[in-house]
Amino acid sequence: MLDRFSLRSRIGILAALVAAMAVVLVSLAAFLTVRSNILATLDTNLFQRAVAAAQSELADPLQLSTIPPDVLGAGDIRIALLAANGSAQSAEGQLSAPPIEGPELEVARGLAPSSVRTASIGTDPYRVVAVQAGPGRALVMGQRLDPTQQVLTKLAFALPLVGAIGVVLAGLAGIAVARTGLRPVQRLTSATERVAATGDLRPIPVDGADELARLTISFNEMLGTLAASQEQQRRLVADAGHELRTPLTSMRTNLELLASASRPGAPTLPDSDRAEILTDVHAQVEELSTLVGDLVELARDDAPLKVHEPVELTDVVDRALERVKRRAGDVEFDARLVPWTLMGDSTALERAVLNLLDNAVKWSPAGGTVTVRMRQLDGWSVLLEVADEGPGIAEEDLPRVFDRFYRADRARTMPGSGLGLAIVRQVAMRHLGAVWAGRAPGGGALMAMRLPGRSPGGLPPSGQ
């Protein structure tokens, strides 16, 4: 039922219901308390008057009969002397006698010191008190309850009326509070609608420091992350277009030259030039294939994979070494590995290790040696280092060698797209690891990748 109303209306309705329950309970408790206090006060006063009358001349039947009826009528009082045999004498006979029954007879007979009860004469309710007035006698005094009941009746009507007004005010206050409290939620709703309609990722102003303010801050962080992701995608597309333009232009020029030489009447292209052009086209196709593969790898989600399989990192490095040795020429490799197991993607890890080895081979001089070392840092992580004997990395380039499409000045004349090391960093981050670059002891470049996992017989790290 409440699902049909807005959140603001539901808060107002719930506030009204809670107020109604509180009003009912408070009104009932107040009515019962006031009623009990009024009756207790009435009984106390009536009992004191009865005791005073029993100790005065009114305990004498002759004196009781001389009380003017106006005195008793003005106070709605009825008084009588009750004997143990059940006979009673009042000021005006039976017309002014209070209700007399068993409790009053028990007091007259000495079986009880006093009694208090509610009784009726016709339709008129009375509060009746009996006290001992000497041996074998009791003084019985009754007072009408009509005035008291009128007060209680008015109170019974007044309390619900005031409660109803309180319920209405509580409902209105609940709606007002809901309107004020839900204003940040309305801003969030408007912001999400604006993002969906326009793609505008501007942050929302934050007011206060409560839970809704924290929600707004979290939403702004999400918008910032989304904006950064969009900017990263735009930069990737722009950089990819720039990198693709050069080999495509060169390939188109070579293909147009071959096509022109094949037209009738065109100058004959020497076989050596034709072979050189075909070699260039083949190299450009390979470069495009590598670049497209790198772009596809970088376009994958950067978040850590949820489902991994056990991977022996030593086997991954061995396979990457076998692949790179086939195209490394006269470059030598010095590898020292340690057993290490982690949960991850073996294909992606092999791609990352292969990129590190290819980068080292590219910068190694003829006859140089690429050093590969694996060493366990602690019970939870291992470090893979790949060092070459090349010229090394300039200090200003060290922080950016893992950025996408970044190429140092001395690397611009060499083959490559600047994506290989970016893929290494992405794979390491997906496996909860890290990468960094430095200088090797021999002066070349040193690339390091830290990965979590465990050694054989060791305990797995947290989260693996």
Side-chain angles (χ1 to χ4, degrees):
M1 179 65 73
L2 289 178
D3 294 339
R4 300 178 182 177
F5 299 93
S6 65
L7 181 59
R8 183 188 307 170
S9 300
R10 278 184 279 174
I11 292 177
I13 293 173
L14 291 176
L17 290 177
V18 172
M21 294 178 60
V23 165
V24 170
L25 293 177
V26 171
S27 298
L28 181 60
F31 179 78
L32 294 177
T33 302
V34 171
R35 179 177 177 274
S36 176
N37 289 336
I38 289 177
L39 292 178
T41 302
L42 178 65
D43 290 345
T44 300
N45 292 336
L46 190 59
F47 183 79
Q48 291 176 351
R49 294 167 68 180
V51 170
Q55 294 175 354
S56 67
E57 297 177 352
L58 295 180
D60 186 353
L62 296 178
Q63 295 294 332
L64 181 62
S65 62
T66 62
I67 297 177
D70 294 340
V71 175
L72 300 179
D76 290 331
I77 297 294
R78 293 196 177 199
I79 188 170
L81 285 174
L82 177 63
N85 57 7
S87 62
Q89 180 181 356
S90 63
E92 291 292 328
Q94 295 299 325
L95 295 179
S96 61
I100 296 175
E101 293 182 2
E104 289 76 27
L105 287 173
E106 291 182 356
V107 175
R109 294 168 182 171
L111 300 179
S114 62
S115 67
V116 179
R117 66 186 181 93
T118 300
S120 299
I121 298 178
T123 59
D124 298 331
Y126 277 82
R127 193 67 172 169
V128 181
V129 171
V131 297
Q132 292 182 351
R137 288 190 306 175
L139 189 142
V140 181
M141 185 176 293
Q143 184 175 0
R144 290 184 60 179
L145 291 178
D146 288 344
T148 302
Q149 290 186 342
Q150 290 175 2
V151 172
L152 294 176
T153 301
K154 292 179 181 179
L155 182 63
F157 280 105
L159 288 177
L161 180 60
V162 174
I165 296 175
V167 170
V168 174
L169 294 177
L172 296 177
I175 294 176
V177 171
R179 181 183 293 109
T180 303
L182 294 178
R183 189 172 292 119
V185 178
Q186 293 175 347
R187 287 202 299 266
L188 288 177
T189 303
S190 300
T192 55
E193 293 174 349
R194 185 190 71 229
V195 170
T198 65
D200 186 4
L201 301 178
R202 289 177 300 175
I204 304 171
V206 180
D207 296 328
D210 55 6
E211 289 78 1
L212 292 176
R214 291 173 55 192
L215 176 61
T216 305
I217 293 174
S218 299
F219 189 80
N220 286 339
E221 292 176 352
M222 183 187 68
L223 290 179
T225 302
L226 184 58
S229 177
Q230 287 186 350
E231 178 61 26
Q232 189 177 32
Q233 290 178 359
R234 284 194 292 266
R235 188 169 62 250
L236 176 62
V237 171
D239 293 341
H242 175 74
E243 294 292 334
L244 288 170
R245 188 177 296 113
T246 299
L248 285 175
T249 301
S250 178
M251 185 184 300
R252 182 175 63 184
T253 302
N254 289 330
L255 291 177
E256 288 176 352
L257 182 60
L258 290 174
S260 298
S262 301
R263 294 191 183 98
T268 303
L269 191 66
D271 292 340
S272 58
D273 291 344
R274 181 183 296 272
E276 183 179 354
I277 292 175
L278 290 175
T279 301
D280 288 344
V281 170
H282 180 71
Q284 290 156 4
V285 170
E286 288 185 350
E287 184 179 354
L288 281 175
S289 299
T290 302
L291 180 58
V292 170
D294 291 344
L295 289 173
V296 171
E297 181 67 25
L298 287 173
R300 297 174 61 183
D301 188 10
D302 290 343
L305 297 179
K306 299 300 182 183
V307 180
H308 284 179
E309 60 181 359
V311 177
E312 296 295 336
L313 187 59
T314 305
D315 296 340
V316 170
V317 177
D318 284 336
R319 290 196 300 267
L321 282 170
E322 291 298 326
R323 292 176 60 183
V324 77
K325 285 178 181 178
R326 291 194 290 266
R327 56 189 187 227
D330 56 357
V331 175
E332 300 292 333
F333 292 88
D334 178 15
R336 296 181 184 176
L337 310 180
V338 296
W340 192 259
T341 302
L342 73 156
M343 301 296 292
D345 183 350
S346 61
T347 302
L349 288 170
E350 184 174 345
R351 176 70 179 274
V353 174
L354 187 63
N355 287 355
L356 290 176
L357 296 175
D358 281 336
N359 183 77
V361 169
K362 181 172 68 173
W363 290 100
S364 292
T369 301
V370 174
T371 303
V372 181
R373 295 287 185 269
M374 280 179 61
R375 55 190 178 91
Q376 184 174 342
L377 297 178
D378 48 41
W380 299 272
S381 59
V382 71
L383 186 65
L384 173 64
E385 296 177 323
V386 178
D388 59 54
E389 296 179 347
I393 305 173
E395 290 293 335
E396 63 271 15
D397 294 328
L398 283 176
R400 302 189 59 188
V401 294
F402 292 99
D403 293 347
R404 296 176 179 179
F405 296 104
Y406 180 77
R407 303 182 72 184
D409 292 337
R410 68 179 66 180
R412 298 187 184 279
T413 59
M414 303 184 68
S417 62
L419 295 178
L421 295 181
I423 292 175
V424 174
R425 181 173 65 178
Q426 176 175 288
V427 172
M429 294 177 63
R430 287 173 55 200
H431 289 78
L432 306 180
V435 292
W436 59 89
R439 291 187 176 275
L446 174 66
M447 301 293 177
M449 179 168 61
R450 180 183 57 81
L451 293 171
R454 60 181 176 86
S455 61
L459 295 176
S462 176
Q464 296 292 317

